[in-house]
Amino acid sequence: AVRRLTHDSGDDWDPAYTRDGKQLLWSSNRGGNYEIWVAASDGSGARKLTADGVDAENPTATPDGRWVVYASANPAQNGIWKIHPDGTDAQRVAAGTLSVPELSSDGRWVSFVDNDHGRVRVVALDDGAVIAELNLTLTAMNLFQFGRSRWVPGTSTLVWSEYDAQAAVMTLVAQEIVAGRDTSASRRTLVVGTSDLTHYGPSYRFT
C-alpha cells in the first residue's frame, strides 16, 4: 500500500533508508535551503540533521549507522561530508564540485561524481584517500546527470550510469574496484538504454 511519509509544503527528495531500515533520510528545502533531514521509518519525528546553510543533498548511511554521508554545494565548503546521526562532528571527506555519494557494502569507501573533472571517484570514508578514478564520457550535457553509482551488495563491484555519445543512449557500466590496482579491464556494459534516457540517468538499487 502506498502511503505518504512527509507532509511539509517544501520539496522533499532523494530519500534513503538506513541499513537497518529504522530511519529515513532525505533532502528538503523546507527551511529555506536544502538540508539533510532524518525521521523514523514511518516519517514521524522529522528533524534537521545538517546546518550546511546552502545546499546539502543525497544522504546515505554507513552500515553500522555511525555516519550519514552527503554532498554539499555550499561554495565555502563544497564536497562530500559525513556527520553523526545526532548532528555532531561534521567532517569533509573530499573537496570539490561533487555529487551523489554512495557507500560501499562494507561502508569503508564512498563513490561520487566529480563534476569538475568528468569522472566517478572512489575514496576512503575514513581519510579521503583516493581508491579509484573512473573517467566518464564527456558531453555538452551537465555531468550531474551522469555517473550516479551503486555498489553491488557483498562485492566491490561498482555500477554507474554513463552516456554513450556515439550511440546517443544511456548505459549502465560495471567495474570491480580494488585499492591500488588498475581494474579497467574488468569494466563491462550491463544495460544499454534508449535515446530518451538523457535527463538524470537511471535511479536504481541492488538487493
Side-chain angles (χ1 to χ4, degrees):
V2 176
R3 58 192 173 93
R4 187 171 180 173
L5 298 179
T6 62
H7 299 271
D8 194 89
S9 60
D11 293 332
D12 295 334
W13 87 291
D14 208 19
Y17 276 104
T18 55
R19 298 289 177 95
D20 61 9
K22 294 182 178 179
Q23 290 186 301
L24 175 67
L25 303 166
W26 73 98
S27 183
S28 177
N29 66 354
R30 60 183 63 189
N33 64 279
Y34 281 102
E35 300 283 358
I36 305 303
W37 286 70
V38 61
S41 59
D42 62 359
S44 62
R47 58 184 174 85
K48 187 174 73 169
L49 181 60
T50 58
D52 180 80
V54 177
D55 187 7
E57 302 186 32
N58 316 125
T60 182
T62 56
D64 60 8
R66 186 182 177 204
W67 296 103
V68 173
V69 178
Y70 63 95
S72 169
N74 185 334
Q77 58 185 34
N78 62 351
I80 302 301
W81 285 72
K82 62 181 181 180
I83 190 171
H84 289 312
D86 63 0
T88 62
D89 199 22
Q91 303 175 34
R92 185 159 59 176
V93 178
T97 308
L98 315 175
S99 59
V100 288
E102 186 73 12
L103 287 158
S104 60
S105 296
D106 58 13
R108 295 188 302 122
W109 299 343
V110 57
S111 59
F112 50 85
V113 178
D114 180 345
N115 292 276
D116 290 327
H117 300 96
R119 63 179 58 141
V120 175
R121 286 172 57 197
V122 179
V123 303
L125 182 64
D126 182 48
D127 59 6
V130 176
I131 304 299
E133 296 184 338
L134 312 167
N135 290 331
L136 293 170
T137 302
L138 295 176
T139 73
M141 302 180 69
N142 192 319
L143 282 171
F144 276 107
Q145 299 166 334
F146 307 117
R148 183 153 204 172
S149 56
R150 305 293 192 195
W151 295 86
V152 178
T155 76
S156 61
T157 298
L158 186 66
V159 178
W160 67 92
S161 59
E162 187 164 314
Y163 187 67
D164 183 334
Q166 183 174 358
V169 296
M170 291 296 297
T171 62
L172 292 182
V173 180
Q175 183 172 324
E176 182 183 3
I177 306 299
V178 180
R181 185 189 305 174
D182 179 4
T183 60
S184 56
S186 70
R187 186 177 300 190
R188 62 196 188 278
T189 298
L190 299 180
V191 177
V192 177
T194 59
S195 58
D196 61 337
L197 295 177
T198 56
H199 293 288
Y200 195 77
S203 181
Y204 54 92
R205 290 211 178 251
F206 294 98
T207 57

